[in-house]
Amino acid sequence: MTVVRTPLVVGNWKMNGSFEANRALIEALLIALAQKTAPDVGVCPPFPYLPQVGALLAGTNVRWGAQTVCEHRTGAYTGQVSASMLRDLGCTYAIVGHSERRQFCGETDEQVSLQAVAALDSGLTPIICVGESAEEEAAGKTLAVIDRQLAPVLATLAGVADEGKGVVIAYEPVWAIGTGKTPTPEGVQAVHAHIRERLMAAGLVQTRILYGGSVKGSNAATLFALPDVDGGLIGGAALDALDFSTICTAAAIRAV
Ligand code: PGA
């Protein structure tokens, strides 16, 4: 059986944007993408801008999502946003377990797995981030860290009916995020192949594995040509319409 995984490129805007800047970015992006073959594309602005971005993208092929989601369904969780609220806002995606959330908000592997299930239960596609720190990489612990982070996710998903449906994994070495450094292509492929092995063993055949960490228009084609890289999660370059659209094209070409 040939498995076709449509490439996916998602922009993580982080805590950037304004009504004016968002409008300019989306308008430029739609013009740039209209002239190119695009893979599945999504953008994840900060929560307050989801209605604006949703309105600008309505009727286009570009989808939108959130940068995190609460693992609880409803109730006394001040400041949190639930998956069903994101669904109300037309979201398709929810990034969960980004290293900045793990680092600054103390999110744990278990919590991230519950966030993924909460997203799935509301019909969102969770983009589950994993990745090792510089210290862990230097100590040769990359695969062990990935396994530790994936374990609760895979265990929790095993209990969810109709496994897999739309879960996405993003491998993001923490030391590569926003630094301009990336692992070698061989290094990226080795980690992705390892994640693929874990996913296949769990029956998650269709699951896409994105690479994230200093992806730019200039290195996207090399990274996306790797056999187990199914697209990218893009930070800084997602704020530049031309660079982001070049990255999207690199992913689309891979699909052919
Ligand atoms: P970067 O960020 O592309 O700016 O390195 C990636 C991410 O944090 O998702």
Side-chain angles (χ1 to χ4, degrees):
M1 186 185 71
T2 320
V3 180
V4 180
R5 300 183 194 94
T6 309
L8 170 66
V9 175
V10 174
N12 172 12
W13 290 5
K14 309 195 180 187
M15 201 172 72
N16 294 291
S18 66
F19 281 134
E20 205 182 322
N22 303 341
R23 172 175 290 279
L25 177 55
I26 295 286
E27 285 175 357
L29 181 61
L30 290 175
I31 290 168
L33 286 178
Q35 296 153 358
K36 297 174 174 172
T37 317
D40 286 350
V41 179
V43 295
C44 297
F47 286 136
Y49 296 128
L50 283 168
Q52 182 204 15
V53 168
L56 288 167
L57 292 176
T60 74
N61 290 329
V62 180
R63 315 227 174 265
W64 57 97
Q67 298 172 14
T68 185
V69 63
C70 183
E71 65 271 32
H72 302 291
R73 304 305 191 264
T74 184
Y77 302 101
T78 302
Q80 298 278 39
V81 175
S82 75
S84 64
M85 294 171 190
L86 296 177
R87 203 59 198 143
D88 279 348
L89 290 169
C91 288
T92 295
Y93 301 107
I95 298 171
V96 300
H98 189 281
S99 64
E100 285 149 20
R101 301 283 312 171
R102 292 175 188 265
Q103 190 185 343
F104 302 129
C105 307
E107 292 186 356
T108 64
D109 299 333
E110 284 68 28
Q111 199 179 354
V112 170
S113 72
L114 295 175
Q115 292 170 343
V117 172
L120 275 176
D121 284 351
S122 286
L124 300 171
T125 298
I127 301 171
I128 305 162
C129 302
V130 296
E132 81 287 0
S133 67
E135 296 71 32
E136 289 162 341
E137 198 260 344
K141 292 185 180 155
T142 298
L143 298 184
V145 170
I146 303 289
D147 281 345
R148 191 204 74 216
Q149 293 173 329
L150 274 183
V153 169
L154 296 178
T156 319
L157 285 181
V160 177
D162 187 27
E163 51 78 359
K165 3 85 203 110
V167 183
V168 173
I169 304 291
Y171 169 54
E172 299 204 307
V174 179
W175 52 273
I177 295 176
T179 58
K181 294 184 205 160
T182 56
T184 60
E186 296 72 31
V188 171
Q189 171 53 26
V191 176
H192 279 237
H194 180 83
I195 295 172
R196 179 81 68 210
E197 219 175 278
R198 293 286 182 263
L199 293 173
M200 296 298 257
L204 300 175
V205 176
Q206 295 287 349
T207 302
R208 291 175 285 192
I209 310 172
L210 311 184
Y211 169 77
S214 296
V215 179
K216 310 274 174 236
S218 52
N219 61 12
T222 306
L223 291 162
F224 296 164
L226 299 167
D228 287 303
V229 176
D230 304 311
L233 181 56
I234 318 301
L239 300 173
D240 181 313
L242 206 58
D243 215 17
F244 189 64
S245 69
T246 304
I247 294 168
C248 292
T249 312
I253 289 168
R254 177 209 191 272
V256 180

